[in-house]
Amino acid sequence: VGDTDPVSDLGVLELELVLADVATVESQVDKRRKAARADKSLAGEVAALEAALAELQAGTPIYRSGLDADPATLPGLASFVADMLKEGTRGKTSAQLVAAFDALGARYSVSAGPETVEISVSVAVEELPAALALVAEIVTQPRFDEAELDKLKRRERSRLTLELQDPNFLARRAVRTEL
């Protein structure tokens, strides 16, 4: 059996997802085009699907992620997952992961934005392959350890408790609710 190559494995996985998405979007484009013949208001939806299909056919993956993709019943899920990705992999604890990046002279961060969950790495070019292997390990083999999950839940509860006592936070929350 040959050596495993996490970067190559991630590329293969991404390609498989893109190919599955191409089939799904092609089917939707056909259905929406037919529906748009009777309902002209669907033209924008057809255009968006066609643009997505062009990106997929060019090999660009499209993921629905980030804070905007959080289910209504689980607000903050993307941030929670991003935080958990920092807690290690099946092969490395969080401390070992930090040490592995440090040994490369690299810095990394994981964050969630409105439309993304992002892993950023700053590293010297000659160390890039090793850093990408670590990123691939984070993405494909997250630990999601029960003890770390419990610690994160406690930290989040404490943070929320403090925020709910902050008049500025409450005011911003009230304004967002009204908008």
Side-chain angles (χ1 to χ4, degrees), residues 82-161:
D83 288 342
M84 282 302 295
L85 288 173
K86 299 175 206 170
E87 299 303 326
T89 67
R90 283 187 230 137
K92 293 178 181 62
T93 65
S94 59
Q96 290 169 329
L97 194 57
V98 168
F101 276 106
D102 284 349
L104 299 173
R107 289 177 285 128
Y108 83 106
S109 65
V110 184
S111 61
E115 297 178 350
T116 63
V117 174
E118 181 178 294
I119 299 175
S120 299
V121 178
S122 295
V123 65
V125 171
E126 60 271 8
E127 299 297 345
L128 184 60
L132 287 177
L134 289 171
V135 170
E137 185 176 340
I138 291 169
V139 171
T140 62
Q141 302 174 42
R143 180 175 293 241
F144 295 135
D145 180 71
E146 197 68 36
E148 295 297 332
L149 181 62
D150 290 341
K151 279 196 263 183
L152 183 57
K153 285 180 182 177
R154 284 193 301 276
R155 280 196 311 258
E156 283 300 301
R157 281 189 195 108
S158 295
R159 184 186 61 75
L160 288 171
T161 299

Side-chain angles (χ1 to χ4, degrees), residues 24-41:
T24 300
V25 174
E26 281 177 337
S27 169
Q28 287 301 310
V29 166
D30 291 339
K31 288 178 185 174
R32 301 319 280 169
R33 279 183 184 150
K34 289 175 186 170
R37 288 185 196 120
D39 181 354
K40 300 299 180 194
S41 70

